[in-house]
């Protein structure tokens, strides 16, 4: 019997595990530091970004003590200058690492940003609670670290509270640089930014969906690769996009009453997040954001104007909703961490033939593979066939012209990698070799 993905009771348990009490405690603590502006006080124990960083570090260390020292906690830092950082300033991330047992260089990361702001992005002293933007994302990654730390994974899991987001995505850049310098093969970065509110500014409520934004074509695609992709397809099949498809499939399977709403964009219109420096470094990454946003609660001085209360306070958080988002991050990370890497060097052949042939390089630890295909206008993979432990497969009577194709890896215990689309357009490898164009 070829290896096939199967229902994982462990993922059902994990999906129900996130604690609203834990999430609330984290956000209350972070809001309590007054402001977490990147340029705020770093020496006080009670106020500012320094106190907040030290608290997150202590929290990771406590989680690590509970799992026999399973987490390494590091605080990489760099000094940046920029438009929103007129004087050189140190940006520091707080990162917990759970090393993988089989592929320690392969990394699945969950990020959120610790820093907060008010209306004036340079105001480093006024109260900036940042409960939703982005203490909610930090609460998700700390809760995910707590839930996932005790389990064994093939790949390395990284939980990172970033700083400097509001000043120019510096914390994401810093961690992406760290990943490159340490030879990490980042297979997925899930950037959770503004994930705790379920009521839109116009009163629309949606606690049943979360948006996952993914780029369509790779940020670091060469002109030659773009030419090939424009002709043969792949404009909606970057590795980030296929990561989003995996998340949507897992939500359908394991999260009752909750779904992923895939958005075919890198981020919200005209706005950015810490997944962008990862994409620029050539790593697959997505942005996770609530379905409905309330802009009176984002980047605002705390005030009341014409009867409207402005500011990002904790009473705007829907903790039940936040727990569902945490569940999505946790089951995604657990699945990717336990699955093998997607196959590499995936290629297809079949011009002027009625069959389609696919080949790939095997992934370490894979017990088998699945070939997937879908209509060229379909958002999600529609058909799949298990192939066994092979590196080549022929789909009889499936014409190459009419479908998009992909392959995933499956572990002996039934965990499946994301689907990889052929060629450089779809590769999960950081710097794909020059296109083998034909
Ligand atoms: Zn944010």
């Amino acid at each position: 019997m070829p290896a096939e993905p199967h229902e994982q009771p462990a993922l059902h348990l994990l999906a129900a595990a996130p604690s609203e009490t834990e999430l609330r405690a984290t956000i209350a603590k972070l809001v309590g530091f007054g402001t977490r502006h990147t340029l705020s006080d770093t020496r006080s124990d009670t106020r500012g970004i320094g106190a907040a960083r030290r608290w997150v570090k202590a929290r990771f260390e406590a989680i690590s003590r509970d799992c026999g020292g399973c987490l390494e906690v590091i605080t990489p830092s760099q000094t940046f200058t920029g438009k929103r950082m007129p004087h050189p300033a140190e940006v520091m991330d707080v990162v917990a690492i759970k090393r993988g047992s089989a592929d320690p260089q392969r990394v699945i990361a969950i990020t959120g940003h610790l820093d907060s702001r008010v209306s004036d992005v340079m105001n480093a002293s006024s109260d900036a609670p940042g409960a939703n933007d982005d203490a909610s994302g930090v609460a998700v990654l700390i809760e995910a670290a707590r839930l996932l730390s005790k389990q064994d994974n093939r790949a390395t899991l990284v939980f990172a509270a970033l700083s400097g987001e509001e000043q120019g995505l510096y914390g994401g850049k810093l961690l992406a640089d760290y990943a490159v310098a340490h030879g990490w093969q980042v297979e997925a970065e899930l950037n959770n930014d503004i994930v705790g509110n379920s009521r839109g500014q116009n009163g629309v409520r949606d606690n049943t969906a979360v948006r996952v934004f993914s780029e369509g074509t790779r940020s670091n695609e060469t002109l030659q690769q773009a030419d090939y992709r424009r002709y043969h397809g792949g404009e909606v099949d970057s590795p980030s996009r296929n990561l989003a498809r995996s998340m949507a499939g897992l939500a359908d399977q394991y999260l009752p009453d909750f779904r992923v709403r895939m958005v075919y964009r890198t981020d919200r219109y005209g706005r950015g997040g810490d997944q962008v420096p990862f994409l620029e470094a050539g790593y697959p990454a997505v942005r996770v954001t609530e379905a409905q946003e309330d802009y009176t609660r984002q980047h605002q001085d705390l005030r009341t104007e014409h009867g409207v209360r402005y500011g990002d306070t904790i009473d705007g958080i829907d903790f039940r909703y936040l727990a569902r988002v945490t569940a999505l991050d946790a089951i995604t990370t657990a699945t990717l961490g336990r699955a093998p890497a997607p196959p590499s060097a995936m290629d297809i052949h079949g011009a002027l033939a009625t069959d389609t042939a696919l080949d790939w390089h095997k992934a370490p630890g894979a017990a088998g593979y699945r070939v997937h295909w879908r209509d060229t206008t379909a958002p999600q993979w529609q058909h799949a066939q298990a192939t066994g432990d092979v590196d080549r497969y022929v789909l009889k009577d499936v014409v190459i012209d009419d479908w998009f194709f992909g392959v995933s890896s499956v572990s002996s215990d039934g965990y499946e990698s994301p689907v990889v689309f052929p060629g450089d357009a779809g590769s999960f490898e950081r710097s794909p070799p020059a296109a083998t164009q034909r």
Side-chain angles (χ1 to χ4, degrees), residues 113 115 132-134 165-166 193-194 268 272 287 299:
H113 70 86
D115 59 306
N132 196 25
D133 186 10
D134 182 33
E165 199 269 353
E166 307 289 6
D193 195 351
I194 312 186
R268 298 138 321 142
R287 181 191 180 113
H299 303 179

Side-chain angles (χ1 to χ4, degrees), residues 301-323:
D301 292 335
L302 295 171
R303 68 192 191 281
T304 303
E305 228 172 66
H306 309 299
V308 177
R309 213 154 59 82
Y310 289 85
D312 190 0
T313 50
I314 194 167
D315 57 321
I317 304 291
D318 175 343
F319 286 96
R320 185 155 188 277
Y321 180 78
L322 185 58

Side-chain angles (χ1 to χ4, degrees), residues 224-303:
Q224 192 188 24
Q225 290 167 346
D227 270 347
Y228 183 84
R229 186 256 309 151
R230 198 177 294 114
Y231 200 88
H232 295 89
E235 64 278 2
V236 290
D237 276 278
S238 70
S240 305
R241 181 64 50 73
N242 276 311
L243 168 61
R245 289 192 178 101
S246 274
M247 295 172 77
L250 288 167
D252 287 346
Q253 193 173 3
Y254 293 105
L255 303 179
D257 300 329
F258 201 73
R259 71 186 178 94
V260 165
R261 183 169 166 205
M262 286 194 284
V263 184
Y264 281 18
R265 274 205 176 99
T266 301
D267 207 314
R268 298 138 321 142
Y269 201 86
R271 295 189 285 166
D274 282 317
Q275 78 281 15
V276 173
F278 275 81
L279 296 170
E280 287 169 349
Y283 292 127
V286 295
R287 181 191 180 113
V288 183
T289 295
E290 62 203 21
Q292 302 290 332
E293 291 181 69
D294 184 345
Y295 312 104
T296 63
R297 292 182 165 276
Q298 295 179 16
H299 303 179
Q300 297 286 348
D301 292 335
L302 295 171
R303 68 192 191 281

Side-chain angles (χ1 to χ4, degrees), residues 8 24 33 39 44-45 49-50 84 102 125 149 157 187 208 217 233 239 274 306 351 371 375 389 391 395 432 434:
Q8 302 286 351
R24 183 185 293 274
F33 293 115
L39 305 175
S44 163
D45 285 332
I49 187 73
R84 293 174 170 188
S125 57
S149 55
L157 310 186
E187 180 180 313
T208 64
T217 61
D274 282 317
H306 309 299
V371 166
D375 272 314
D389 187 12
D391 59 7
L395 279 173

